[in-house]
């Protein structure tokens, strides 16, 4: 890459270098404070209200900023950086339309508990409330989709606010924090005093669990004959993947991982059953429906997992829920054993006492089911099937790549057919389902992981929502491999219209889309295309052998569906198996 995140100096070195008794602007205080928080890359787009901030960047060699081509590209890149590294992602935008262009990205991060610090400019304090040019109440607009927000009115508060924002974003249930800085505040001068203490009244997330509740869970496991672990994104976010592996090995409980939980438990483990829910495996869904004990670990019982709530897990005598956010426990599913706390801390304690469940016969049954009801599709020697493309990418990357996806059929095929080995290797919009997320999030993931292979898998619809970010891949030689599963249609909408709306296809035709190879080349990115298996293998290997960014257009059939599928309103027992039926 031409743009690389610079290795940070130690905090002591930075303080010594950055702290002085001279008066400096709020903009300079902001940049120094971000460096002291360990920020090695910021994604943004300038405008009038943040010009003092961007002026402070000029000649500031320690500060890394990546100019995207749209504010939505900036926040999705910051999100991908955060998900793939575990660090706090940071983006900057100007007031008014710059700030409102971030709203979808803020909601995306909020729904999926991703730690971001979002910095916006605003009009000068004396203009706030006057409908001034490019004024928007961004703190009010985003109140329901942020963990917390600040409107900075005094430059002396900036170091404290920035320090607090990073703490709030990265602790407890993680999420986005907004800092809105009026233009005059960014220009005001003060002596920089780095903040190094935290005292936030009323904010004290529970980390250590109630041990009595965990002991109760351990006893329930010892008596269970058909236990199931439902592992979600919280396992990944808490860095508890190894603790979960140890817990499963000791308790001998089969595991199903949600979309955001993929990679949090290795796909090659003999007790992994795959994805649950709407497009889950037969084995995972059947296990949930027949389990006598369900342990949700960092999963919020999302409706795409449970489907029809009153038909979910009818045989479960006990449901346990481990989560750092007490508001999630009992919200959707009645919980018998609540364990509030950081998942890593909960599992570390549980692993000191864990014993096997009475699950030997259950495991035999599940493993037989995995063999009898595998994921499968009707392959073709004349057409290029999308499932084959994902299998090929998995095989050639050995399940080790960081994979980002957009939203739709290709997202589900990735969840089904890419076998994730490691945590933080899947970057995808789960809760909000944001089209346009996949490609810019890959740029952020690549910036945060410069030595790793990053593959962005998109539909031909979603790629067009942020395709302008091809420019920064070309200019900065960011080596993302950009895959398009091109079926010339809004595939998941078409699938629903076929199955649920009796083939009444309405406004789903994407046949007027550009030639994606030519589009890539117009931006200065290498473009390749494949329409059959032989071409697919050849161009994918060429992409892997190319050191810079490459876009690969895989042309696939319009009518291919994602199976299994559970229709909205049905229970997860009522699976449409497609070609498997």
């Amino acid at each position: 890459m031409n743009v690389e995140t610079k290795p940070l100096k130690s905090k002591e070195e930075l303080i010594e270098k950055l702290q002085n008794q001279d008066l400096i602007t709020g903009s300079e205080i902001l940049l120094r404070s971000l460096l002291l928080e360990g920020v090695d890359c910021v994604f943004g787009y300038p405008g009038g209200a943040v010009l003092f901030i961007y002026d402070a960047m000029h000649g500031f060699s320690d500060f890394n900023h990546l100019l995207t081509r749209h504010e939505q590209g900036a926040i999705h890149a910051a999100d991908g950086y955060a998900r793939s590294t575990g660090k706090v992602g940071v983006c900057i935008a100007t007031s008014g339309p710059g700030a409102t262009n971030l709203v979808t990205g803020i909601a995306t991060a909020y729904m999926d508990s991703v730690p971001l610090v979002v910095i916006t400019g605003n009009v000068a304090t004396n203009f706030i409330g006057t409908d001034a040019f490019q004024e928007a109440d961004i703190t009010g607009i985003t109140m329901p989709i942020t963990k917390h927000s600040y409107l900075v009115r005094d430059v002396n508060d900036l170091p404290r606010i920035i320090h607090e924002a990073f703490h709030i974003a990265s602790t407890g249930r993680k999420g986005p924090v907004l800092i809105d800085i009026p233009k005059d505040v960014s220009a005001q001068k003060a002596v920089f005093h780095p903040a190094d203490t935290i005292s936030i009244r009323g904010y004290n997330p529970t980390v250590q669990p109630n041990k009595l509740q965990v002991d109760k869970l351990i006893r329930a496991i010892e008596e269970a004959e058909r236990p199931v672990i439902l592992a979600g994104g919280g396992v990944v976010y808490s860095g508890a993947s190894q603790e979960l592996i140890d817990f499963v090995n000791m308790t001998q409980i089969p595991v199903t991982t949600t979309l955001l939980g993929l990679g949090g438990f290795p796909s090659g483990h003999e007790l992994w059953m795959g994805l649950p829910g709407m497009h889950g495996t037969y084995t995972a869904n059947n296990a949930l429906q027949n389990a006598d004990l369900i342990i949700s670990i960092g999963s919020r019982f999302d409706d795409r997992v449970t489907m029809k709530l009153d038909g979910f897990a009818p045989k479960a005598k006990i449901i346990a829920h481990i989560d750092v956010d007490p508001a999630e426990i009992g919200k959707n599913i009645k919980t018998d054993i609540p364990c509030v706390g950081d998942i890593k801390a909960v599992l570390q304690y549980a692993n000191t006492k864990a014993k096997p469940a009475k699950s030997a016969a259950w495991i035999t049954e599940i493993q037989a089911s995995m063999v009898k009801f595998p994921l499968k599709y009707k392959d073709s020697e004349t057409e290029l099937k999308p499932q084959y493309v994902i299998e090929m990418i998995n095989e050639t990357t050995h399940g080790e790549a960081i994979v980002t996806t957009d939203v739709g059929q290709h997202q589900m095929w990735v969840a089904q057919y890419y076998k994730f080995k490691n945590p933080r290797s899947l970057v995808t919009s789960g809760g909000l389902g944001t089209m346009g997320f996949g490609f810019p999030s890959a740029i952020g993931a690549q910036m945060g992981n410069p030595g790793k292979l990053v593959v962005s898998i998109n539909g031909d619809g979603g790629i067009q929502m942020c395709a302008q970010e091809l420019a920064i891949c070309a200019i900065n030689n960011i080596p993302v491999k950009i895959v398009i599963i091109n079926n010339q249609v809004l595939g998941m909408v078409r699938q629903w219209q076929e199955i649920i709306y009796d083939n009444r296809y309405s406004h789903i035709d994407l046949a007027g889309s550009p030639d994606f190879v030519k589009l890539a080349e117009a931006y200065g990115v290498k473009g390749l295309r494949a329409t059959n298996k032989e071409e697919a293998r050849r161009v994918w290997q060429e992409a892997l052998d190319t050191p810079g960014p490459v876009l690969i257009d895989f042309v696939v059939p319009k009518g291919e569906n994602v199976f299994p599928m559970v229709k909205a309103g049905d229970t997860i027992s009522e699976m449409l198996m497609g070609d498997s039926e």
Side-chain angles (χ1 to χ4, degrees), residues 29-212:
I29 289 173
L30 169 66
L31 302 190
R32 294 184 183 198
S33 297
L34 292 176
L35 286 176
L36 291 174
E37 294 298 333
V39 175
D40 54 19
C41 187
V42 171
F43 307 87
Y45 202 95
V50 290
L51 283 183
F52 286 115
I53 296 172
Y54 277 82
D55 184 59
M57 294 181 199
H58 185 72
F60 195 164
S61 60
D62 286 319
F63 192 84
N64 293 322
H65 176 278
L66 188 67
L67 173 65
T68 59
R69 293 301 182 264
H70 192 286
E71 291 90 355
Q72 188 164 334
I75 192 162
H76 289 334
D79 187 314
Y81 173 94
R83 292 186 201 232
S84 62
T85 64
K87 303 176 185 176
V88 177
V90 182
C91 65
I92 299 178
T94 193
S95 64
T100 57
N101 278 342
L102 298 175
V103 170
T104 298
I106 295 171
T108 300
Y110 183 78
M111 286 284 281
D112 289 351
S113 305
V114 178
L116 297 183
V117 169
V118 180
I119 298 163
T120 55
N122 209 331
V123 299
T125 51
N126 60 311
F127 285 112
I128 290 176
T130 67
D131 292 330
F133 177 66
Q134 290 193 333
E135 181 190 0
D137 178 14
I138 193 63
T139 55
I141 290 168
T142 60
M143 189 173 291
I145 53 171
T146 53
K147 274 192 77 175
H148 193 59
S149 58
Y150 295 91
L151 173 59
V152 186
R153 292 184 176 273
D154 186 340
V155 67
N156 293 290
D157 292 334
L158 258 176
R160 172 187 59 81
I161 286 173
I162 293 162
H163 194 46
E164 287 181 2
F166 275 80
H167 177 71
I168 293 169
S170 61
T171 55
R173 181 174 183 169
K174 299 172 176 63
V177 177
L178 181 107
I179 304 175
D180 195 32
I181 306 175
K183 188 171 185 178
D184 57 325
V185 174
S186 67
Q188 289 170 3
K189 291 190 174 182
V191 176
F192 177 48
H193 297 292
D196 55 7
T197 59
I198 290 287
S199 178
I200 306 173
R201 190 170 144 191
Y203 182 73
N204 187 28
T206 300
V207 174
Q208 295 300 324
N210 182 323
K211 292 182 178 180
L212 294 177

Side-chain angles (χ1 to χ4, degrees), residues 375-414:
L375 289 168
K376 61 182 181 179
Y377 60 96
K378 191 175 290 184
D379 202 359
S380 171
E381 293 305 317
T382 57
E383 294 181 309
L384 180 59
K385 290 298 185 84
Q387 301 94 327
Y388 175 83
V389 174
I390 306 304
E391 286 181 323
M392 178 189 68
I393 294 171
N394 174 68
E395 179 185 347
T396 53
T397 63
H398 311 290
E400 301 278 1
I402 295 174
V403 177
T404 79
T405 82
D406 215 88
V407 173
Q409 286 181 314
H410 69 276
Q411 180 189 34
M412 294 298 102
W413 284 317
V414 168

Side-chain angles (χ1 to χ4, degrees), residues 406-483:
D406 215 88
V407 173
Q409 286 181 314
H410 69 276
Q411 180 189 34
M412 294 298 102
W413 284 317
V414 168
Q416 291 176 335
Y417 289 97
Y418 194 93
K419 304 307 180 186
F420 294 93
K421 292 182 179 179
N422 305 310
R424 300 196 180 280
S425 57
L426 173 63
V427 174
T428 193
S429 172
L432 199 65
T434 303
M435 288 182 70
F437 174 85
F439 174 37
S441 69
I443 293 170
Q446 189 74 81
M447 294 301 292
N449 301 270
K452 292 186 178 180
L453 173 64
V454 177
V455 180
S456 178
I457 302 179
N458 308 267
D460 50 321
I463 190 66
Q464 296 184 70
M465 293 190 174
C466 281
Q468 71 282 344
E469 304 307 335
L470 283 163
I472 63 172
C473 281
I475 292 167
N476 300 298
N477 197 34
I478 299 171
V480 175
K481 309 309 175 189
I482 307 149
V483 170

